[in-house]
Amino acid sequence: MRRLAVVLTLLLAAATSRADLGEPTLELGQGDRLLVTNLPAIFDDKEIAEHLTSGLTTTLVLTVKTSLSGATKLEGGARITIRFELWDEVFNVTAFGSMGPLQSTVLESKEQLTAWWRSLRLPVMAVPDGEGIRGRAEITLDVLPFSRSEELDTERWFSESVLRAEEGRRSGVSHPTEGKESLAEVLDILIATSIRRRSLTSYSWTSPWPEGSTP
Amino acid sequence: MSWATVSLLGLLAATPVGAVEPTPAIAAGSSASFFIETIVVDEATRFSPDLILAESRLVEGQEYSERELRDALFRIVRLPLILDAEFSLRRGTQRGRFQLVIQVDEARRWFFGMEGSATRWSRPVTLSGTSTEDVVQGFSMLAGRRFSVGRYGVFFAAAGGQDGSLNLGYSHNNLLGRRILLQISGAYSRCGQAQVSLPLGDEGDQACRAEIFDLGLDPTLSAWEAGEGTARARLTLGVPLKGNQSIRFAGSFLDTEGGFRRAVYQEDPAQLDFLRDRTDWELTASWMLDSRDDPLFTSEGQRWEAGLQVRSLEAEVERWDFENFTSFKTDHASLEVGARLAGSKYWSLGRKDAIWGRLDAFLGRTDFSGVLTEDDRILEGQADVWRGGAAFGYGRFLHRVRTDEKWQELRWESEIEALYSTTSPSFDLPENPLAGFRVSSGLTWRSSWGVFGLELIYQDLGGD
């Protein structure tokens, strides 16, 4: 019972901690651009804080997806790169919106970085006219450390995919067998226990579609 | 994830939109270079730090761009037994100089597995033992250990599995310096030695592993139970191509001292054939495309495989008439050659849920002789073989923690699949063509220690 109480307390604390960050807001800007504003302060998160001060680039990818009634599926995004200059102790930051580079600046402290981040108005997509858009949109923020890129994704599954090529057959499509090969099972487990963890921090929110976007 | 989309967005022609004035500062992520004065490897307890340093190909006292550092990180992450690695910089002895800290996360040496299943057949079946059953249970446990050998090699040894085998293997991830993957493995089992029986199981089920071959190898729909001593060997060679593509060559060989062969659907479960000197082997050469985000718990991506396949099954089969105490023998030999296309595609439905579809098709020709049917006919000749399947599945993460401290995942997966198999001519066999379906649902737990799964299956192979 005591253990359950501790677990519940920890879960509540974690949930409260995430909720305390606040939620981003969607706004409609000039030229029918959808803007993400009021970005939550995330730089105190332990994993992000570690990457931010590594001296190497940390990338934040913001994605907005709609599943709105009366509209086709829309998707857009923005990207922010941050690198801490160890000798000058400043943050070099660049923001890319849906139309390309948005701004580059140098910030002298983490507090300034947080204030800059909170003040960002990031254009993420052009809103199509002629459709009545209502409902909510999903906003996702992925924090990608220096080590992550598509190249890594391309290469890291090579050996796993080659060794697990028997998957379809063993699962019964063409081998309706009771027994599975124990040798393949060993390889499965060998592979499964050496899969790289994705030490990527993600946040996800849903936000109401801004008023005024309905014609 | 729309990472690629967002990357493309960033590369689009610049049209400043924001209200804040751009500054002339150096953009983060641009081609910054760092003079690396010293390099430190942290948290390497099972690997030699020198090995990691050598694989990074970084040298102290040199200047490296962020791109070059990233490439070095990829080389380290590709090392066997390394789960993950991170780079960070510290100030050096003077301005503009840095110390590079390489922090590695190593895989565990020990790995474990457990798999349990209960299959409810639409008709009573005889796969092994001396009784027909509606429900067939399967259970296996496995424990193994891996060892680093050289820069790119991993040797592993494991005991357990469904027939209590000893497994040994070696993989090399950079053959000829061209990132070619070589995997050699072998197993030897004496069934009954390390058999694990469930409390619910019958005493009569203390049998060796049974396998139902495709109709191209045995058109009679029979279960082949391995003999007391079984040796297996497998060799896989993977050659990476551009992007997510590769060429795979694989060969496997099995030799067993004896065993039994039984019609899966039969009235008299005591009727069986005795096998001697059974060998079966398989060779495949295939092109593969794999963009899945995870080879075990897939949520996104696709996998396609197209290639040629040759399989052979040979054994001396002896059938006894226990009423008259007479017997006769045949030499079963079948050789199947054909082309196979298999593909699967996965769609993510949010953070926890995913659905997938799977297709599998094989078209080939078989040449066999000495195939004994249940009514004592001996089949010989050639036949065209066609088999295919289609499946649809759903998966949901019930628990998922992936942090530096902990890595645990629990996924529930369910799948329904339809399958069809036939030969032409069909030789007037009641189970040819074979048309049925399979419904499965199970839970799988994965952590850095191993994979543990339980599955319930309903299997219908058609027929009366």
Side-chain angles (χ1 to χ4, degrees), chain B residues 30-239:
Chain B
S30 63
S31 55
S33 290
F34 308 95
F35 184 86
I36 304 299
E37 196 174 47
T38 55
I39 303 174
V40 176
V41 179
D42 264 1
E43 297 179 24
T45 55
R46 298 161 199 157
F47 267 124
S48 156
D50 292 340
L51 170 62
I52 292 164
L53 198 54
E55 184 54 22
S56 76
R57 299 181 201 163
L58 299 174
V59 179
E60 293 177 347
Q62 297 279 330
E63 188 167 301
Y64 294 100
S65 68
E66 196 157 351
R67 168 78 194 204
E68 288 170 320
L69 292 178
R70 195 177 64 177
D71 289 344
L73 183 77
F74 293 158
R75 287 193 288 274
I76 293 171
V77 168
R78 282 198 297 268
L79 272 172
L81 298 185
I82 292 288
L83 286 174
D84 207 352
E86 294 292 342
F87 279 8
S88 61
L89 299 174
R90 290 178 190 153
R91 283 182 179 182
T93 55
Q94 28 178 308
R95 186 178 177 81
R97 296 184 169 211
F98 299 93
Q99 179 184 62
L100 175 67
V101 181
I102 303 174
Q103 195 169 22
V104 293
D105 188 2
E106 298 164 299
R108 293 183 195 278
R109 283 189 175 142
W110 286 100
F111 56 93
F112 301 91
M114 188 279 286
E115 201 170 49
S117 68
T119 304
R120 173 77 162 83
W121 289 74
S122 57
R123 294 170 58 187
V125 293
T126 306
L127 302 180
S128 61
T130 54
S131 60
T132 57
E133 296 171 301
D134 289 334
V135 177
V136 179
Q137 298 160 5
F139 184 76
S140 68
M141 291 173 67
L142 182 143
R145 189 172 165 88
R146 58 191 139 204
F147 308 87
S148 165
V149 180
R151 283 193 186 183
Y152 303 100
V154 174
F155 172 80
F156 65 84
Q162 284 207 321
D163 43 10
S165 59
L166 173 66
N167 301 269
L168 300 173
Y170 172 75
S171 66
H172 191 287
N173 283 51
N174 192 14
L175 200 65
L176 305 174
R178 294 179 179 274
R179 304 214 321 272
I180 294 171
L181 173 73
L182 169 73
Q183 173 94 47
I184 304 169
S185 50
Y188 182 77
S189 63
R190 291 192 69 83
C191 55
Q193 296 291 308
Q195 188 84 14
V196 179
S197 62
L198 286 175
L200 298 174
D202 297 326
E203 285 301 313
D205 289 338
Q206 296 285 336
C208 300
R209 190 174 61 90
E211 187 172 4
I212 304 171
F213 286 101
D214 290 316
L215 298 185
L217 291 177
D218 185 351
T220 64
L221 191 66
S222 296
W224 291 60
E225 186 180 340
E228 287 183 355
T230 301
R232 307 164 197 273
R234 175 174 294 187
L235 187 145
T236 304
L237 204 62
V239 183

Side-chain angles (χ1 to χ4, degrees), chain A residues 24-142:
Chain A
T25 312
L26 294 175
E27 289 180 15
L28 205 59
Q30 288 181 336
D32 281 339
R33 290 261 149 203
L34 184 69
L35 306 176
V36 178
T37 63
N38 194 28
L39 287 159
I42 56 167
F43 299 123
D44 286 330
D45 183 298
K46 187 186 160 199
E47 281 195 51
I48 299 175
E50 282 176 6
H51 288 299
L52 277 181
T53 52
S54 69
L56 298 162
T57 303
T58 302
T59 303
L60 292 88
V61 178
L62 192 73
T63 312
V64 178
K65 285 182 186 172
T66 66
S67 53
L68 307 168
S69 59
T72 51
K73 189 178 176 184
L74 303 174
E75 184 173 341
R79 180 162 59 96
I80 297 93
T81 56
I82 305 170
R83 185 166 55 77
F84 184 61
E85 173 48 63
L86 287 167
W87 282 99
D88 296 330
E89 295 191 338
V90 295
F91 292 95
N92 296 320
V93 296
T94 303
F96 299 85
S98 60
M99 297 178 69
L102 189 64
Q103 57 174 294
S104 295
T105 191
V106 177
L107 303 163
E108 293 181 353
S109 66
K110 199 167 149 187
E111 289 70 32
Q112 278 193 18
L113 175 67
T114 301
W116 172 84
W117 169 254
R118 299 274 293 165
S119 70
L120 272 176
R121 295 168 61 81
L122 286 168
V124 289
M125 70 173 86
V127 180
D129 16 307
E131 292 187 80
I133 302 174
R134 293 174 300 279
R136 300 178 75 84
E138 184 182 339
I139 304 172
T140 308
L141 177 66
D142 291 302

Side-chain angles (χ1 to χ4, degrees), chain B residues 332-370:
Chain B
H332 179 114
S334 49
L335 181 70
E336 181 191 78
V337 182
R340 178 172 179 249
L341 173 68
S344 53
K345 183 161 174 57
Y346 298 78
W347 293 271
S348 171
L349 306 175
R351 298 257 148 184
K352 291 182 176 178
D353 305 279
I355 56 171
W356 60 87
R358 215 151 44 79
L359 290 170
D360 197 336
F362 176 87
L363 188 62
R365 190 152 180 83
T366 184
D367 189 344
F368 50 72
S369 60

